[in-house]
Amino acid sequence: MRKYKLRKHKIANSLLRNYIFLALTMIFLIIITSFIVSIFAFALYFNTPSSFSVTDASSLMNDDYTKIDYATIENLGGYADVLDKNNNIIYSQGNSPNDKSKYTIEDFNKIILSSSFEVVEDGYIYRSAYNKDKDFLLVVAIPENYDTTIPKHKLTPKIFGVISAFCGLLILALFFIIYSRLSSRNFVKPLSALTEGAKIFAKGDYSARINISSNNEFGELRDAFNTMAEKIQKETTLREESEEARRRLILDISHDLKNPLSSILGYSNLLLSEEVTPEESSKYLEIINNNSERANELIQDLFDFSKLQSTDFKLTLEDTDICEFLREAIAFYIPEIEEKEFLYDFDIDDDSFFIPMDKKHLWRALSNLINNSLKYNPKGTFIKISGNKINHSFKIVIEDTGIGIPKDLQTEIFHPFVRVDDSRNSKSGGSGLGLAIAKNIIEKHGGIIELLSEKDLGCKFIIFLYKDNT
Ligand code: ADP
């Protein structure tokens, strides 16, 4: 049965969390807002005075008695009278039970203490206050059993609505600011870091990396970006290096071909001048021949090296006994070794050891190493070739006690056109490609080659080849 892997939608989960948080907070805020608005409305508008002293006449006093706020008294079912110094009622508001125009002595007796205390008489609570400046007396009366449900102030639905909406909006605005900050931390921040990184990268700075700590899809995007950036940076460096190597190669080739070609040109011009003796002519011809050979060798090596470097190049592998192969190579070189008066020793395993190899190319690699020993070292040099099985690998060592290669060139010597000493080589005519070709062939076989060497102490080339080189 096919199994479906559950994908983790981390951003979706995070959004869900935010939405739940938003919804819960909204509910909470609505409750809090309603509560605050209710308390506010109740405190301001529904608070009923516990006693009439709240509507103390002196607290209502105004020099212009027509502008006094009589609304509360009227709402409580009471009334107010304004008296002049002769006790005439000069102004009256509310539901007065009598229609007199003047207060009598009797009336005064009843409310005589009302300027200091509440006086209850005839079913009314009286309070009074005297305005010294305008010389009038304000008498207010409210029914003894006034209706406590009547609001102190009038709360219109419009005012209540405006206050509630204002409080609600204020709290919501605060909440949205906090919520947007929260969202920004989770989404906007990684997004802007990603955009910033991509912009720097687009400008050609391939060292740009994104550094965000998200472990959701943004984190995956960061990892993908950083991996891509790393690959592109590596490839760019490689491309620059190979471009540099190509430039150096062209320079080296033209430099190495220049000498034999100008010599060929010079001596052939001399031959054409018709003023040469037969002895000079044969000498010049020999020089031309030598230089042509040298140029030809160089071009041949270059051709072989380029072929090995090409992506189309394939070895023709066949399982071969490497011990037998080495014995054949040694047998081939013994006459030349002896002719050059070298001392020698060979140590090849007696047992067979089969590895997949391209005989032609491996022969070329080993010949380059043996030829170098014979070419660059004086007679009397000791050369040793050994081949031994080590577990699943086969170790070949070609060493000599000759002039050696300086330690600092041990790695570089395998690069094309690298030579120890140009004057020495110009005599022996090396192309500087022999070791580069040998290394390429060994590596194409899945093996490794390294050099242990020191100036004047000889060279030791160590090769490892493996049974499984695919
Ligand atoms: P070339 O075609 O010049 O021989 P190689 O790549 O084969 O180029 O060798 C590079 C250089 O390393 C040679 O020019 C030589 O100076 C030095 N070299 C290589 N093998 C030996 C050796 N066995 N002893 C001394 N010098 C060596």
Side-chain angles (χ1 to χ4, degrees):
M1 210 178 85
R2 198 165 160 191
K3 277 189 185 169
Y4 290 93
K5 210 176 160 192
L6 265 176
R7 271 214 62 191
K8 284 183 194 161
H9 296 287
K10 291 175 183 164
I11 288 187
N13 292 346
S14 160
L15 278 172
L16 185 69
R17 267 200 306 276
N18 277 3
Y19 291 145
I20 292 172
F21 171 74
L22 180 71
L24 289 177
T25 320
M26 289 277 267
I27 294 169
F28 178 71
L29 283 180
I30 288 166
I31 294 170
I32 291 281
T33 312
S34 323
F35 186 67
I36 291 173
V37 167
S38 313
I39 289 188
F40 183 64
F42 185 79
L44 275 179
Y45 297 99
F46 292 100
N47 189 16
T48 314
S50 58
S51 85
F52 180 61
S53 62
V54 181
T55 55
D56 186 358
S58 56
S59 68
L60 297 170
M61 184 54 82
N62 189 319
D63 282 351
D64 182 352
Y65 51 76
T66 59
K67 288 191 178 146
I68 288 173
D69 181 10
Y70 299 104
T72 314
I73 296 151
E74 282 179 275
N75 284 334
L76 292 171
Y79 66 94
D81 289 335
V82 178
L83 311 181
D84 65 8
K85 57 183 173 192
N86 299 321
N87 303 330
N88 294 318
I89 300 174
I90 51 172
Y91 189 76
S92 184
Q93 281 286 319
N95 320 307
S96 178
N98 33 48
D99 51 357
K100 56 194 174 192
S101 60
K102 187 179 170 111
Y103 273 46
T104 60
I105 298 287
E106 195 185 338
D107 292 332
F108 266 112
N109 271 339
K110 284 180 188 171
I111 60 162
I112 195 88
L113 294 171
S114 65
S115 62
S116 309
F117 308 104
E118 291 175 0
V119 174
V120 183
E121 271 296 331
D122 306 333
Y124 280 91
I125 302 168
Y126 286 97
R127 294 300 308 267
S128 64
Y130 177 63
N131 188 321
K132 258 192 226 161
D133 298 338
K134 298 292 173 184
D135 197 18
F136 67 82
L137 184 73
L138 171 69
V139 178
V140 296
I142 61 162
E144 202 179 352
N145 53 349
Y146 58 83
D147 183 358
T148 53
T149 61
I150 296 170
K152 185 180 162 195
H153 296 282
K154 273 184 217 159
L155 176 69
T156 62
K158 199 174 153 194
I159 297 171
F160 185 78
V162 168
I163 292 170
S164 309
F166 178 75
C167 289
L169 283 176
L170 192 76
I171 291 170
L172 274 181
L174 272 173
F175 171 69
F176 280 126
I177 289 169
I178 295 166
Y179 179 71
S180 66
R181 285 282 152 87
L182 202 92
S183 312
S184 126
R185 212 186 53 208
N186 289 340
F187 303 106
V188 179
K189 236 173 138 185
L191 259 181
S192 54
L194 284 162
T195 316
E196 196 50 38
K199 272 186 191 165
I200 298 173
F201 197 78
K203 279 183 192 156
D205 181 357
Y206 301 125
S207 65
R209 298 289 181 275
I210 288 161
N211 193 11
I212 49 170
S213 56
S214 319
N215 57 359
N216 52 19
E217 281 87 342
F218 285 124
E220 286 173 24
L221 191 59
R222 168 205 59 210
D223 293 345
F225 179 92
N226 287 347
T227 314
M228 175 198 76
E230 205 160 296
K231 271 193 184 160
I232 293 180
Q233 192 184 18
K234 253 188 211 159
E235 270 164 29
T236 314
T237 317
L238 271 178
R239 208 182 50 226
E240 281 167 4
E241 278 173 5
S242 85
E243 186 61 23
E244 177 54 33
R246 197 182 60 86
R247 237 179 281 129
R248 216 182 43 230
L249 202 73
I250 293 171
L251 209 75
D252 288 337
I253 296 165
S254 35
H255 178 259
D256 279 27
L257 276 176
K258 209 178 112 211
N259 284 349
L261 287 182
S262 10
S263 171
I264 292 167
L265 195 71
Y267 284 104
S268 54
N269 277 338
L270 277 177
L271 279 175
L272 289 170
S273 68
E274 291 172 13
E275 284 165 18
V276 280
T277 61
E279 296 84 51
E280 282 174 330
S281 157
S282 61
K283 188 180 150 204
Y284 295 165
L285 273 173
E286 201 186 324
I287 295 172
I288 290 172
N289 186 264
N290 281 346
N291 279 299
S292 306
E293 250 175 40
R294 203 170 151 207
N296 188 42
E297 252 171 49
L298 177 66
I299 289 166
Q300 187 57 49
D301 279 355
L302 202 60
F303 179 64
D304 294 344
F305 180 68
S306 307
K307 255 196 333 197
L308 283 167
Q309 297 260 295
S310 131
T311 45
D312 300 337
F313 178 80
K314 290 259 171 334
L315 292 174
T316 314
L317 296 173
E318 54 180 309
D319 262 357
T320 311
D321 178 6
I322 182 84
C323 299
E324 189 53 32
F325 179 81
L326 282 175
R327 279 191 284 270
E328 280 170 21
I330 289 164
F332 178 85
Y333 275 102
I334 280 184
E336 195 177 339
I337 292 172
E338 284 180 344
E339 191 194 316
K340 295 236 161 129
E341 298 178 41
F342 272 49
L343 304 170
Y344 58 86
D345 183 25
F346 308 114
D347 168 26
I348 311 294
D349 277 353
D350 292 334
D351 295 341
S352 312
F353 190 85
F354 283 85
I355 56 166
M357 65 160 105
D358 182 322
K359 284 209 276 192
K360 189 179 123 203
H361 282 98
L362 203 62
W363 181 273
R364 173 79 191 272
L366 298 181
S367 309
N368 283 359
L369 302 182
I370 300 170
N371 276 332
N372 277 351
S373 258
L374 297 172
K375 191 160 67 171
Y376 295 115
N377 297 305
K379 62 180 179 185
T381 300
F382 178 75
I383 180 168
K384 181 173 179 185
I385 300 173
S386 53
N388 308 97
K389 171 188 174 244
I390 295 177
N391 299 325
H392 290 288
S393 65
F394 196 82
K395 184 180 177 189
I396 303 170
V397 180
I398 298 172
E399 58 188 314
D400 63 55
T401 55
I403 57 171
I405 292 171
K407 216 175 181 170
D408 56 342
L409 281 179
Q410 266 173 198
T411 318
E412 216 190 310
I413 200 76
F414 290 103
H415 295 171
F417 296 106
V418 177
R419 296 151 178 163
V420 176
D421 172 2
D422 270 347
S423 59
R424 194 170 90 198
N425 281 280
S426 54
K427 267 185 264 151
S428 51
S431 67
L433 286 165
L435 291 180
I437 290 172
K439 184 176 162 70
N440 259 272
I441 293 172
I442 301 294
E443 284 177 354
K444 285 258 164 4
H445 276 85
I448 46 173
I449 177 167
E450 61 177 18
L451 166 67
L452 297 180
S453 163
E454 213 148 314
K455 196 170 181 324
D456 301 325
L457 289 177
C459 293
K460 185 174 185 176
F461 289 94
I462 304 166
I463 298 166
F464 277 96
L465 292 170
Y466 302 92
K467 253 192 189 311
D468 181 14
N469 59 17
T470 47

